[in-house]
Amino acid sequence: MSAYREEPTISLYSNRSSFKWVVLGVALIISAGSIVYTNELVKQIRDRERKQIDLYASTLEYLANENDAPNLIFVMEEIIQANNTIPVILTDEFGKPEHYRNIPAADKIENDRVRKRFLLNEIKDMMTEREPIMVTLTDDNNQIYGYKNIYYRNSFLLTQLKYYPYVQLSIIAIFGLIIFAVFNYSRTAEQNRVWVGLAKETAHQLGTPLSSLIAWVEYFKETFPDQKDVFLELQKDVDRLEMITERFSNIGSVPQLRPERVFDLVSEVVKYLEKRISTKVSMTVQAFPNEEITCSINRPLFAWVVENIVKNAVDAMVGKGAITIKIMKVSDGRVAVDISDTGKGIAKNRLTQVFKPGYTTKKRGWGLGLALTKRIVENYHGGRIFVKDSELNKGTTFRILLKS
């Protein structure tokens, strides 16, 4: 059975969480490296585009002030026309668009007025990214007679490259989540098959010695009729073994839920355990507002739940203390069963681990008691079980919620 003391022992499941953190750490390192490398490429391409635009501006300035026809043709063909990636708008000194390149949306607009309005909006967007480059116009006497402005923004390639690592990582993350979900579902299904197979085999193995014990009890009853008290206790243990066998047989099958008085069932479990645990442990069962509270449960399986939690409480108190079980109806109409002890409590960083398979504080424990308890409550009864509150060196309260 699982116990919930402060320092859990190491089990065969203990390295699973560490492995997840290692995988996450490696993934983060790869992601960070990809982003840093891509950002460095973006920076280099951005600088190159800036130099290209500076060259473009210098070329325009040269064309405006040069009358050498062969040079003008060379400059037009080799420099200005070579820019086929960077969106550019050339305006006069008053901001009126005169020329543009690499803006496909503007090419599709046939109406000049609409196109001009579109280009003005593009200029506003470009100004939020880059300061315009001013081109100075001079005459033959080197006198300034006007200005032009060149507005531009990052090329589509640079924009794609800028967001590429994030898109790439998003796709990898989505793919990883799908793989994880499939793997987790497969692992859960495999675990369920192991649970069911183990339970069925245990029930089968118990069957033969149990039948023998029943026969021996009947034999001793007839042979030693004056030992009724002894036979009564033996019969209780045999009945107990029959109930345990039935519990294991029910694992993996659809349980039969019937309306039961929760107080009576819990009291029956407590009465059985009182003679088999330390006499220094007191147990009390209370029902609010009365003992008539009922809900649909499987009697053998739910008795197993209460027994597991009570035994864990006894272990946590080291065989000395008080256990209080309160049964009540809560505001949402469900039935709550609170099992409180005066044991060592659970550290806050351990609260989410107590129901995991393999979590145990016993040197010889398998850490399956509370894990099985959670499965019975949630999978078979459609309820919930959780640690309601816990304080170190003061005690713990487990709450079970069941449909009324």
Side-chain angles (χ1 to χ4, degrees):
M1 300 299 177
S2 296
Y4 44 88
R5 298 176 191 172
E6 176 62 17
E7 296 297 333
T9 58
I10 298 176
S11 73
L12 54 87
Y13 302 94
S14 60
N15 292 326
R16 185 172 60 185
S17 179
S18 300
F19 178 74
K20 290 180 180 179
W21 284 111
V22 170
V23 173
L24 179 61
V26 172
L28 290 176
I29 292 173
I30 295 174
S31 302
S34 176
I35 293 173
V36 170
Y37 178 72
T38 306
N39 286 340
E40 183 63 27
L41 290 179
V42 168
K43 181 181 177 181
Q44 294 178 14
I45 296 175
R46 188 190 300 117
D47 292 341
R48 190 183 69 177
E49 289 189 351
R50 171 68 188 188
K51 292 177 181 178
Q52 192 173 354
I53 291 298
D54 288 340
L55 179 60
Y56 184 86
S58 300
T59 302
L60 288 176
E61 190 171 52
Y62 173 78
L63 290 176
N65 302 316
E66 185 63 46
N67 295 319
D68 188 345
N71 286 338
L72 290 180
I73 295 173
F74 171 79
V75 171
M76 285 290 293
E77 291 181 352
E78 299 299 327
I79 298 179
I80 294 181
Q81 299 299 331
N83 173 31
N84 54 14
T85 59
I86 306 173
V88 176
I89 299 177
L90 176 67
T91 71
D92 61 17
E93 57 187 301
F94 303 106
K96 180 180 178 181
E98 294 183 344
H99 181 73
Y100 68 90
R101 280 187 65 76
N102 305 318
I103 305 179
D107 295 334
K108 298 178 181 179
I109 301 175
E110 297 181 358
N111 188 288
D112 291 340
R113 183 176 298 176
V114 177
R115 186 190 303 116
K116 180 180 179 180
R117 188 162 54 246
F118 174 81
L119 291 174
L120 290 173
N121 290 329
E122 287 291 297
I123 289 172
K124 291 180 181 179
D125 293 338
M126 290 178 176
M127 289 178 64
T128 62
E129 292 187 23
R130 299 282 186 275
E131 289 292 330
I133 297 175
M134 182 180 292
V135 177
T136 303
L137 305 178
T138 59
D139 56 20
D140 293 338
N141 297 322
N142 206 27
Q143 296 294 319
I144 299 174
Y145 67 87
Y147 301 93
K148 292 186 182 297
N149 293 314
I150 298 176
Y151 296 89
Y152 72 103
R153 62 167 173 248
N154 294 334
S155 65
F156 182 64
L157 175 63
L158 182 59
T159 302
Q160 283 183 312
L161 188 60
K162 182 178 179 180
Y163 292 105
Y164 170 74
Y166 301 101
V167 174
Q168 180 187 39
L169 294 176
S170 298
I171 294 174
I172 293 174
I174 293 172
F175 182 74
L177 288 174
I178 294 174
I179 294 298
F180 175 79
V182 172
F183 173 76
N184 194 52
Y185 175 80
S186 176
R187 186 181 63 180
T188 301
E190 183 180 358
Q191 288 177 348
N192 287 335
R193 287 193 294 270
V194 172
W195 279 95
V196 172
L198 178 63
K200 297 292 185 183
E201 180 62 20
T202 302
H204 176 72
Q205 293 295 333
L206 285 174
T208 301
L210 181 59
S211 300
S212 178
L213 284 174
I214 293 173
W216 277 108
V217 169
E218 294 300 323
Y219 171 78
F220 284 120
K221 280 182 180 179
E222 295 177 0
T223 307
F224 306 99
D226 56 333
Q227 300 292 329
K228 291 184 179 180
D229 294 339
V230 176
F231 299 144
L232 182 60
E233 292 301 316
L234 286 175
Q235 187 62 52
K236 288 181 180 179
D237 286 331
V238 170
D239 293 340
R240 180 70 176 175
L241 286 173
E242 286 183 322
M243 183 174 65
I244 291 173
T245 303
E246 183 180 358
R247 289 173 180 173
F248 280 110
S249 298
N250 286 332
I251 297 296
S253 305
V254 179
Q256 298 295 322
L257 304 182
R258 296 184 177 87
E260 298 280 356
R261 290 180 58 180
V262 183
F263 179 84
D264 292 346
L265 175 56
V266 173
S267 298
E268 182 180 316
V269 175
V270 169
K271 185 177 180 182
Y272 174 82
L273 293 175
E274 279 179 335
K275 296 181 179 180
R276 290 161 177 81
I277 62 175
S278 172
T279 56
K280 296 180 181 180
V281 175
S282 63
M283 291 192 287
T284 306
V285 183
Q286 303 171 350
F288 303 94
N290 53 54
E291 300 174 359
E292 301 296 326
I293 299 174
T294 62
C295 61
S296 296
I297 56 178
N298 180 279
R299 194 177 184 88
L301 290 179
F302 190 74
W304 198 358
V305 168
V306 176
E307 180 182 334
N308 274 338
I309 299 177
V310 170
K311 286 184 175 180
N312 283 335
V314 174
D315 291 335
M317 296 185 299
V318 197
K320 183 179 181 181
I323 297 175
T324 303
I325 303 176
K326 296 180 180 179
I327 304 165
M328 67 202 86
K329 281 196 173 183
V330 290
S331 57
D332 57 0
R334 290 184 293 179
V335 175
V337 180
D338 288 354
I339 304 177
S340 305
D341 63 63
T342 57
K344 294 182 178 180
I346 309 172
K348 292 187 181 298
N349 61 341
R350 302 290 184 185
L351 292 178
T352 59
Q353 301 180 27
V354 295
F355 293 106
K356 293 182 178 179
Y359 181 88
T360 180
T361 61
K362 297 180 180 180
K363 293 182 179 180
R364 297 183 180 180
W366 286 92
L368 299 178
L370 288 178
L372 183 58
T373 295
K374 184 178 180 67
R375 285 173 178 265
I376 293 173
V377 172
E378 297 185 357
N379 295 355
Y380 295 149
H381 290 83
R384 282 188 61 208
I385 181 170
F386 55 93
V387 180
K388 181 183 177 185
D389 55 70
S390 184
E391 189 173 349
L392 292 177
N393 300 318
K394 288 192 176 180
T396 301
T397 298
F398 282 87
R399 166 161 285 191
I400 303 169
L401 290 175
L402 298 170
K403 298 177 182 178
S404 59

